[in-house]
């Protein structure tokens, strides 16, 4: 059974030979493993580890695509830049991390109006060649190929910051509705252009980080009123064309799951344990309607201790594999603190437990 066949069936919770497997890595993880001679610096890790899925993120959704980022401040360890969203972001230079949000030009409806006209479908926003290469490589290897990109919540915070956006959800929901429609129009317009020229993927992968530790960023009511209509629309676009939808969401999003399932997601990824997500509970509550990817505590891999990893996998996989809808993945990306041999062992043990 190929990865494409396996994942296609798993997203429908149909019988397979074994659970699927996929993973994400921080850039400095591959750099460390390459320096140690385990992988090539630019090697495709999907091929190296025999994953069942490949993804490609070919869209540039920055508002002003002609803006050249400006360096505002630089130290030995960090660099602060102003980008085409009017956002000032400070990034670490020596390792991969989430950038510090220093400031934003778009803070309300009035300042948004200056950027909105820029956010229209434009072929320059699409990496046609990169998508075509990735699709061809995945097809040749028999992997399930996903177009990947952000949905509306993840579209908005790069231009407003979380604080301005979340306050706007409460104080000026009509402004948020306008941003949400603008970004969903942009995403679907670009998808139409890309898929008409280079062909459809096997599935759609949306990043949509809607939670933090033990709480979503907003209430289920706000989700249903503001975010849900765009999720329903973008997912329906995929389903009407025969493409299932995997939605990634870091943080604690369990209270949002009724709305997300109603919106039509086929698979939830990544079920972050340290944020409060419980893979077994969510499987018991939703496993008949939803495939799951992740939920294996990446902190057990930090230990580089096989016994600790065994305990985590043995506790979860025999249960969550039962409906054929579980795909092996950590509950976050793999950092450089995880040894190469540890990760290899994690896959080997996980697939042993996940074979039917």
């Amino acid at each position: 059974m190929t990865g494409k066949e396996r994942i296609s069936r798993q997203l429908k919770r149909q019988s397979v030979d074994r659970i699927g497997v996929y993973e994400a890595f921080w850039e400095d993880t591959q750099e460390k493993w390459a320096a140690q001679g385990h992988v090539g610096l630019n090697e495709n890790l999907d091929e190296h580890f025999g994953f069942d899925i490949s993804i490609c993120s070919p869209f540039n959704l920055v508002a002003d695509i002609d803006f050249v980022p400006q360096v505002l401040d630089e130290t030995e360890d960090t660099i602060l830049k102003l980008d085409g969203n009017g956002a000032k972001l400070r990034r670490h230079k020596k390792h991969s991390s989430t950038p510090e949000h220093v400031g934003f030009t778009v803070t309300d409806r009035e300042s948004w109006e200056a950027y909105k006209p820029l956010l229209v479908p434009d072929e320059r926003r699409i990496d046609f060649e990169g998508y075509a290469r990735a699709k061809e490589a995945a097809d040749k290897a028999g992997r399930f190929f996903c177009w990947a990109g952000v949905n509306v919540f993840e579209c908005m915070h790069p231009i407003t910051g979380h604080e301005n956006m979340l306050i706007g959800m409460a104080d000026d929901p009509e402004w948020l509705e306008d941003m949400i429609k603008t970004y969903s129009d942009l995403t679907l317009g670009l998808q139409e252009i890309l898929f008409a020229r280079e062909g459809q993927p096997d599935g759609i992968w949306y990043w949509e980080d809607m939670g933090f530790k033990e709480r979503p960023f907003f209430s289920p009511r706000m989700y249903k009123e503001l975010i849900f209509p765009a999720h329903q629309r973008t997912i329906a676009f995929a389903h009407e064309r025969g493409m299932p939808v995997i939605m990634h969401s870091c943080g604690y999003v369990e209270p949002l799951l009724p709305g997300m399932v109603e919106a039509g997601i086929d698979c939830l990824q990544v079920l972050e344990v340290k944020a409060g997500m419980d893979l077994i509970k969510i499987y018991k509550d939703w496993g008949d309607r939803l495939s799951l990817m992740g939920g294996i505590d990446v902190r057990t891999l930090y230990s580089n201790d096989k016994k600790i990893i065994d305990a985590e996998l043995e506790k979860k996989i025999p249960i969550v594999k039962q409906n054929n809808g579980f795909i092996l993945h950590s509950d976050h990306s793999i950092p450089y603190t995880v040894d190469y041999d540890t990760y290899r062992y994690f896959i080997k043990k996980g697939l042993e437990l996940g074979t039917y």
Side-chain angles (χ1 to χ4, degrees):
M1 186 172 283
T2 66
K4 179 176 179 177
E5 293 168 338
R6 186 175 295 112
I7 299 302
S8 296
R9 294 184 64 82
Q10 286 202 280
L11 294 177
K12 301 172 186 174
R13 292 163 298 285
Q14 298 174 344
S15 62
V16 288
D17 55 343
R18 62 161 173 83
I19 61 175
V21 60
Y22 183 59
E23 192 57 73
F25 305 87
W26 290 103
E27 289 182 10
D28 44 13
T29 305
Q30 184 160 359
E31 291 172 1
K32 174 187 172 183
W33 291 351
Q36 294 172 339
H38 300 299
V39 301
L41 186 59
N42 298 309
E43 185 176 357
N44 184 328
L45 297 186
D46 298 345
E47 295 179 1
H48 183 89
F49 291 113
F51 292 153
D52 293 304
I53 298 173
S54 286
I55 70 174
C56 176
S57 181
F59 291 176
N60 177 3
L61 299 187
V62 68
D64 187 349
I65 57 176
D66 295 313
F67 183 84
V68 178
Q70 298 176 2
V71 176
L72 304 179
D73 183 55
E74 186 170 6
T75 69
E76 182 179 350
D77 295 324
T78 66
I79 185 166
L80 174 65
K81 290 184 178 181
L82 176 68
D83 66 19
N85 285 324
K88 298 176 182 178
L89 304 178
R90 190 187 307 276
R91 300 181 184 274
H92 206 282
K93 294 161 63 175
K94 296 181 179 178
H95 60 78
S96 302
S97 62
T98 302
E100 176 190 357
H101 292 185
V102 176
F104 296 88
T105 304
V106 176
T107 59
D108 54 21
R109 188 196 300 242
E110 183 179 2
S111 49
W112 156 250
E113 290 297 333
Y115 283 82
K116 178 182 174 181
L118 301 171
L119 291 162
V120 294
D122 183 327
E123 290 191 358
R124 294 183 301 154
R125 294 184 176 277
I126 305 173
D127 180 2
F128 291 100
E129 292 182 4
Y131 175 88
R133 286 195 303 270
K135 185 176 185 297
E136 181 181 13
D139 288 344
K140 183 177 180 180
R143 289 190 294 272
F144 187 88
F145 177 65
C146 289
W147 170 94
V150 290
N151 210 297
V152 292
F153 186 78
E154 284 288 304
C155 286
M156 291 187 293
H157 74 71
I159 199 168
T160 66
H162 282 88
E163 184 176 354
N164 296 315
M165 176 177 59
L166 294 172
I167 291 173
M169 290 178 77
D171 289 350
D172 193 354
E174 291 183 357
W175 167 41
L176 268 291
E177 288 173 349
D178 187 47
M179 285 201 294
I180 288 166
K181 185 178 187 306
T182 297
Y183 278 111
S184 56
D185 285 347
L186 175 60
T187 296
L188 295 182
L190 293 173
Q191 285 183 352
E192 285 185 323
I193 294 169
L194 174 62
F195 300 160
R197 181 180 300 187
E198 299 295 346
Q200 290 188 177
D202 301 312
I204 298 292
W205 179 300
Y206 279 122
W207 287 295
E208 194 77 315
D209 289 346
M210 297 183 291
F212 57 104
K213 189 172 183 179
E214 298 178 352
R215 296 288 188 280
F217 279 115
F218 40 78
S219 69
R221 178 184 64 81
M222 279 188 167
Y223 171 81
K224 200 66 182 291
E225 292 176 355
L226 292 172
I227 306 297
F228 171 83
H231 282 179
Q232 193 173 45
R233 180 186 177 205
T234 54
I235 293 168
F237 178 91
H239 285 174
E240 288 163 4
R241 291 156 179 79
M243 298 178 288
V245 174
I246 299 165
M247 185 167 282
H248 163 99
S249 194
C250 285
Y252 184 73
V253 295
E254 186 174 358
L256 307 181
L257 273 179
M260 294 168 71
V261 172
E262 184 182 348
I265 67 169
D266 297 285
C267 178
L268 175 67
Q269 194 263 355
V270 58
L271 298 106
E272 191 174 3
V273 177
K274 59 183 173 294
M277 297 291 280
D278 183 332
L279 172 62
I280 293 176
K281 180 180 184 300
I282 291 171
Y283 166 78
K284 290 178 178 178
D285 290 344
W286 296 100
D288 60 334
R289 287 160 285 178
L290 192 61
S291 298
L292 302 171
M293 187 190 320
I296 306 296
D297 195 338
V298 74
R299 293 172 297 183
T300 64
L301 277 75
Y302 296 176
S303 70
N304 293 297
D305 186 321
K306 292 180 180 179
K307 291 182 179 179
I308 293 174
I309 295 169
D310 285 350
E312 174 74 358
L313 293 172
E314 289 168 357
K315 178 175 67 176
K316 294 179 178 179
I317 289 181
I319 295 173
V320 298
K321 78 173 190 178
Q322 291 177 40
N323 71 346
N324 300 296
F326 178 71
I327 300 166
L328 181 65
H329 193 294
S330 70
D331 73 333
H332 210 274
S333 305
I334 301 297
Y336 71 92
T337 52
V338 176
D339 292 341
Y340 175 84
D341 289 341
T342 296
Y343 185 71
R344 273 287 192 195
Y345 179 80
F346 169 75
I347 295 176
K348 179 175 180 292
K349 181 69 174 181
L351 295 186
E352 285 175 359
L353 291 167
T355 298
Y356 294 95

